[in-house]
Amino acid sequence: MTHIPSTNGESAVPFWRQPRSRAIAWQALLLAALAALGIWLVLNARQALIDRGMTSGLGFLFDQTQFALGEAFFTFTSGDTYLKAFAVGLGNTVLLSAVSIVTASIIGAIVGFARLSPNALASGIARAYVYAFRNTPQLVQIVFWYTFFTLFPAARLSWSFFDVAFASNRGLTIPAPENMTAFTAIAAAFLAGCALAWRVAYLADRRRRRTGQKWKSAKPVLVATIFVPALLVWFLFGMPLAWSVPELKGFNFAGGITLSPEFLAIYFGLSFYIAAFIAEIVRGGLLSVDSGQIEAANAIGLTRIDLYRRVVAPQALRVIIPPLAAQYVSLLKNSSLGVAVGYPDLFSVSNTMLTYSGRTIEVLCIMAAVYLALSLAIGAVANFVNSFVQIPER
């Protein structure tokens, strides 16, 4: 039968028989079925809890705990709320992941460049590093580092580094600012200044490419952009300069800050393991740059720094950043292995919370939501950075 269009130019086929309308209808029905299934599961679980005399909800977050946490940004004792315990676990996870990401990135970049070195010794050591750390289980490495640090001598026989830092079986004790709040704020302002300076440099370079005019005051402005915010915060806090230097008194150290064997074990385990993967990512990114472009850059007389800054880095980063973000997310999730050595990260604290509170479903849901939010945040930052290094025509 031949289809006959209507006289006013519109299709004569009813909308419920059009493929697009039917596809939307089927998708709506599928979503409704999934939503109904989810609601049924939630109501069923709630009724099961009521039948067993158990309550549900997030009100337990404001109940008092019956446990203490020894390693935290702030003092956490028995009697504090579960919500505060979550904050301790979240803070420890974020701090551990942040310092491990920085360390792994630095080590991975160095090893990645060394893998391509014409020096046989340097490339051989880099290759051995990658093979050793990439091909052994991460949990084994973490336990190895924990055992290594706990074998250090006792505090009274600790190894001293110029009488300002000490290594013992209680961890690594190092000097620390007396006003840690001010130091944290100054560091945050410095990082914000670096990010702003990077943006200013990017805009200045784009303007130079568009107009051919170089911004003569660029360097002083960039230096001021980096340091002025940190200096302003330093003035606001009363220009603190005092540092607390550790000193052995009796059987323990007074002053400074002590990095526990648990923290050092998970920090070394995460950093060295992920660095092996980052090294291979960096090596692959560098090899993706066509050798003809490097030869052309050398032919026009670019310096070594300009060669990497203007030719190699822009092309290599577009290959490096996406898998690099995946490794950062992997590092964040693997921080939960800290439970193996007793480090109070988010997973370990959550495990303690569900044991004492009995709110297994609620605690697991909150923990999963926090890990999901952190992973999405890392992905969003990686996409933001990737948008600056992407070559538009590729």
Side-chain angles (χ1 to χ4, degrees), residues 102-128:
V102 173
T103 306
S105 300
I106 295 173
I107 296 175
I110 294 173
V111 176
F113 274 94
R115 286 272 281 151
L116 300 175
S117 172
N119 187 301
L121 179 61
S123 61
I125 293 175
R127 185 183 301 110

Side-chain angles (χ1 to χ4, degrees), residues 63-137:
D63 295 342
Q64 293 183 335
T65 61
Q66 298 175 345
F67 58 87
L69 298 173
E71 194 163 356
F73 284 109
F74 41 81
T75 303
F76 184 88
T77 59
S78 177
D80 289 331
T81 64
Y82 284 98
L83 184 62
K84 191 174 181 181
F86 253 126
V88 171
L90 175 61
N92 286 345
T93 293
V94 171
L95 173 64
L96 172 66
S97 301
V99 296
S100 298
I101 284 174
V102 173
T103 306
S105 300
I106 295 173
I107 296 175
I110 294 173
V111 176
F113 274 94
R115 286 272 281 151
L116 300 175
S117 172
N119 187 301
L121 179 61
S123 61
I125 293 175
R127 185 183 301 110
Y129 172 89
V130 171
Y131 288 173
F133 284 93
R134 190 182 59 180
N135 298 315
T136 52

Side-chain angles (χ1 to χ4, degrees), residues 262-335:
E262 292 80 9
F263 174 83
L264 293 174
I266 187 68
Y267 165 65
F268 275 61
L270 291 175
S271 300
F272 288 131
Y273 180 78
I274 296 298
F277 292 89
I278 293 178
E280 290 299 276
I281 293 172
V282 171
R283 185 173 71 92
L286 294 175
L287 289 176
S288 69
V289 181
D290 187 73
S291 59
Q293 297 192 26
I294 297 177
E295 294 172 359
N298 290 326
I300 62 175
L302 284 184
T303 63
R304 198 70 176 172
I305 295 177
D306 283 340
L307 169 64
Y308 278 97
R309 188 165 68 95
R310 299 186 181 282
V311 178
V312 177
Q315 299 183 75
L317 284 177
R318 66 185 174 85
V319 178
I320 291 174
I321 287 178
L324 191 64
Q327 291 301 321
Y328 289 164
V329 172
S330 177
L331 187 149
L332 168 71
K333 293 185 292 186
N334 290 347
S335 66

